Amino acid sequence: MTSYDYYSIAYGALATVSLSLVSIVLGVPLGLGLALIRWSRLPVLNQLVIGYVSVIRTCPTVTLALLVFYALPVVGISLEPVPAGILTLTVSTAAFNTEIWRNALVNFPRDQYDAALTFGMRRGLRFRHIVLPHIIHTSLPALVNEMTLQVKATPAVAVIGIVEITRAAIRVGARTYEPLPPFVVALVLYSLIVFAFVTMQRTVERRYALAGAH
């Protein structure tokens, strides 16, 4: 492999990280919002969220990418590959995040919430200071696991022309007729990205533990 080959795979890694981070930043709060709709059991919206989560969780990411890229123009919405890839990954991860957040909300100890209610604390304050810290701590391992799955799902958007780590490694292997070295490099890069997410999780958990000790 030449230095250009390494550069090509590293550039693919940049695309993977960028797509993953943007979709995670959008998908985590979106999932929380949808989970709150289910937790509140709003009549019509609750059913819509259930339908959305059920459909998206059963749809392969590669199929969803093709639908976003090729079906949306039919209704007058044309997206370039990168925005289409971000939309695909965001819609996908938000569905899984919804269930993670919902599980934390369902298992939230209501006595804490009710105690704050008796003291006249407003709903927004109750959520920010009592509910949110608890469900973040509870959901963190599952959320980080979903983030790592999101990183590993990015090769699906290669079908709409985005060159991420795997696609870049395939191109290098096809050009050099030596597929093993580029895929080893790709594996190392994926491992480093996932390790970064796991390290972030452990750091946040330690801070929560220290805050709880005080």
Side-chain angles (χ1 to χ4, degrees):
M1 289 177 57
T2 65
S3 57
Y4 177 75
D5 295 330
Y6 286 106
Y7 170 79
S8 298
I9 299 175
Y11 192 79
L14 179 61
T16 294
V17 172
S18 300
L19 289 170
S20 300
L21 286 179
V22 172
S23 60
I24 288 168
V25 168
L26 296 174
V28 170
L30 177 58
L32 176 58
L34 296 176
L36 287 172
I37 290 174
R38 293 210 57 192
W39 192 46
S40 303
R41 297 186 180 276
L42 299 177
V44 178
L45 293 178
N46 184 43
Q47 296 303 316
L48 291 175
V49 172
I50 291 174
Y52 159 74
V53 171
S54 300
V55 171
I56 297 302
R57 290 180 70 191
T58 60
C59 182
T61 308
V62 64
T63 304
L64 184 60
L66 291 171
L67 282 171
V68 168
F69 192 67
Y70 292 109
L72 286 183
V74 176
V75 295
I77 303 174
S78 297
L79 296 176
E80 294 296 319
V82 171
I86 291 173
L87 178 60
T88 298
L89 295 173
T90 300
V91 167
S92 177
T93 195
F96 289 93
N97 286 331
T98 298
E99 288 302 290
I100 294 171
W101 287 119
R102 188 181 73 85
N103 183 64
L105 287 166
V106 167
N107 292 295
F108 176 75
R110 294 284 305 193
D111 56 336
Q112 297 182 23
Y113 191 84
D114 294 336
L117 180 61
T118 60
F119 283 100
M121 187 179 289
R122 289 179 297 177
R123 179 178 297 179
L125 288 176
R126 293 199 302 270
F127 179 75
R128 287 198 304 272
H129 295 291
I130 298 176
V131 180
L132 189 58
H134 183 276
I135 63 173
I136 288 176
H137 180 65
T138 304
S139 302
L140 188 60
L143 288 173
V144 173
N145 182 61
E146 170 58 23
M147 291 175 191
T148 60
L149 292 175
Q150 183 77 338
V151 172
K152 290 180 281 188
T154 52
V157 299
V159 297
I160 58 175
I162 296 176
V163 181
E164 37 63 62
I165 295 178
T166 301
R167 182 71 175 270
I170 291 173
R171 287 185 171 184
V172 171
R175 186 170 60 248
T176 61
Y177 298 100
E178 294 181 356
L180 182 58
F183 279 110
V184 170
V185 174
L187 176 62
V188 170
L189 290 173
Y190 275 121
S191 299
L192 291 173
I193 295 169
V194 171
F195 177 76
F197 280 111
V198 174
T199 301
M200 176 197 69
Q201 173 194 341
R202 291 172 179 170
T203 301
V204 174
E205 286 179 339
R206 281 197 298 269
R207 289 182 178 178
Y208 265 95
L210 290 172
H214 292 83

